[in-house]
Amino acid sequence: MTNPRLAQDTPQGRYYTDPAGGPALVSVTNVLDTAVNKRALIPWAVKLTTEHVLDNLAEVNARIDDDRPTLTREIKAVHRDVKETASNLGDRIHTAAEQHILGAPVADDSEVAPYLAQLIHWLTMWGVDLDEHIEATECTVFHRRLGYAGTADLLIWLPTGPGGGMQLWLIDFKTSATRSAKSVYPENTLQLAALRYAETVLLPDDTDAPMPPIQRTGVLNLRAKSHALVEMPAGRDAHAAFRGLLQGARWLHDAPSTYPALLAPGQTAPARRRTPRKAA
């Protein structure tokens, strides 16, 4: 995940600040994380943790009696560390991609270089002229009426129309060190639809411009040794589905985390006991 200039991390996830002074706008990825991705991450985290324990069974058995608290903390952190490492690499790849597309110097990063090479290969195969065919990169889009915002990785003209005519694509970069270059998730369609049907593009001086009509949408999967552009059906039906998730995410963000217990007639609430926090 990249770090857009107007995005702020809050206890309820990422929100965008509106330079026009309106209310904060929930990010598209925050909506999907709240309503979709958290459930999907549970089996992934269980699988990763189980594999770690099995791969290091001798060490786990040796420490289980004498070093149980520390061992527990380390095992619980396995999936989080992997996720943070992958997220950090993804951010660096996105930054390098933006710098290359804008013709800016790209930092020397041996981990990023293979992914950037795949992007450059893809641009070359499609005959992309960076000055002529790039509409925008890493641009912030707003839908103030619905209350959300997001960042579009790439708006680009490609010769995919009838007779090789140019069409404007909205493309989202996805990176992974393990997944196939052809693999996508259904929620990628929802993300693209939310961005596609935003009302406003924010210009570099924080003024507004209308969101240009997008003709096609897709995910560009970048891998260390391959790449693939996968077209996604991010139409109005997908946008309607996203709006339902948006409403649910907002409700969850605003809902209290605790509710008072109902006491029977004449019952007195017990005094709250202070208990020490368990070690993580």
Side-chain angles (χ1 to χ4, degrees):
M1 179 185 296
T2 55
N3 297 290
R5 178 173 55 86
L6 295 173
Q8 303 289 331
D9 289 328
T10 76
Q12 300 299 338
R14 174 172 288 183
Y15 276 74
Y16 281 75
T17 300
D18 188 346
L25 306 168
V26 63
S27 82
V28 172
T29 52
N30 187 357
V31 172
L32 297 177
D33 284 344
T34 301
V36 179
N37 293 338
K38 284 184 178 178
R39 291 179 60 189
L41 285 174
I42 294 173
W44 170 82
V46 171
K47 176 178 180 292
L48 201 67
T49 304
T50 302
E51 289 176 345
H52 172 82
V53 171
L54 294 177
D55 290 343
N56 298 275
L57 198 55
E59 179 187 352
V60 170
N61 285 332
R63 296 174 57 191
I64 200 167
D65 291 329
D66 298 331
D67 198 19
R68 191 183 189 94
T70 302
L71 179 63
T72 300
R73 285 197 298 273
E74 291 175 1
I75 292 174
K76 288 170 65 176
V78 166
H79 73 280
R80 183 175 62 248
D81 292 343
V82 171
K83 185 175 183 294
E84 289 176 353
T85 298
S87 178
N88 177 267
L89 177 59
D91 285 350
R92 285 151 48 207
I93 294 170
H94 274 75
T95 298
E98 179 186 15
Q99 290 168 336
H100 173 79
I101 290 169
L102 294 176
V106 179
D108 185 15
D109 188 326
S110 60
E111 286 188 292
V112 169
Y115 297 86
L116 181 61
Q118 290 299 321
L119 172 63
I120 295 171
H121 183 41
W122 177 78
L123 293 168
T124 302
M125 290 176 63
W126 281 92
V128 172
D129 184 312
L130 297 181
D131 294 323
E132 182 179 350
H133 298 144
I134 302 298
E135 189 74 15
T137 181
E138 292 294 329
C139 58
T140 298
V141 300
F142 283 177
H143 201 310
R144 292 187 177 96
R145 182 169 55 84
L146 293 179
Y148 73 82
T151 299
D153 287 342
L154 184 63
L155 301 182
I156 185 172
W157 293 93
L158 295 176
T160 52
M166 302 300 283
Q167 292 183 312
L168 185 59
W169 280 73
L170 165 63
I171 290 177
D172 194 70
F173 301 141
K174 299 296 183 187
T175 61
S176 174
T178 57
R179 289 177 58 83
S180 162
K182 296 181 179 179
S183 64
V184 293
Y185 294 105
E187 55 267 29
N188 298 152
T189 300
L190 301 176
Q191 179 183 8
L192 287 164
L195 299 172
R196 177 181 190 173
Y197 296 113
E199 296 177 325
T200 299
V201 175
L202 203 64
L203 300 178
D205 63 357
D206 286 346
T207 58
D208 292 355
M211 182 70 178
I214 301 297
Q215 292 162 290
R216 298 173 79 166
T217 60
V219 167
L220 178 57
N221 283 322
L222 297 174
R223 306 295 186 255
K225 297 182 180 180
S226 63
H227 67 265
L229 175 60
V230 182
E231 185 167 10
M232 306 293 287
R236 287 290 182 183
D237 57 339
H239 191 236
F242 173 80
R243 294 199 307 271
L245 297 178
L246 173 63
Q247 184 176 359
R250 274 217 192 102
W251 186 92
L252 290 168
H253 290 174
D254 294 339
S257 58
T258 60
Y259 296 86
L262 184 63
L263 301 178
Q267 182 182 8
T268 302
R272 294 183 61 183
R273 291 190 304 169
R274 300 180 68 88
T275 57
R277 292 175 58 88
K278 290 184 177 180

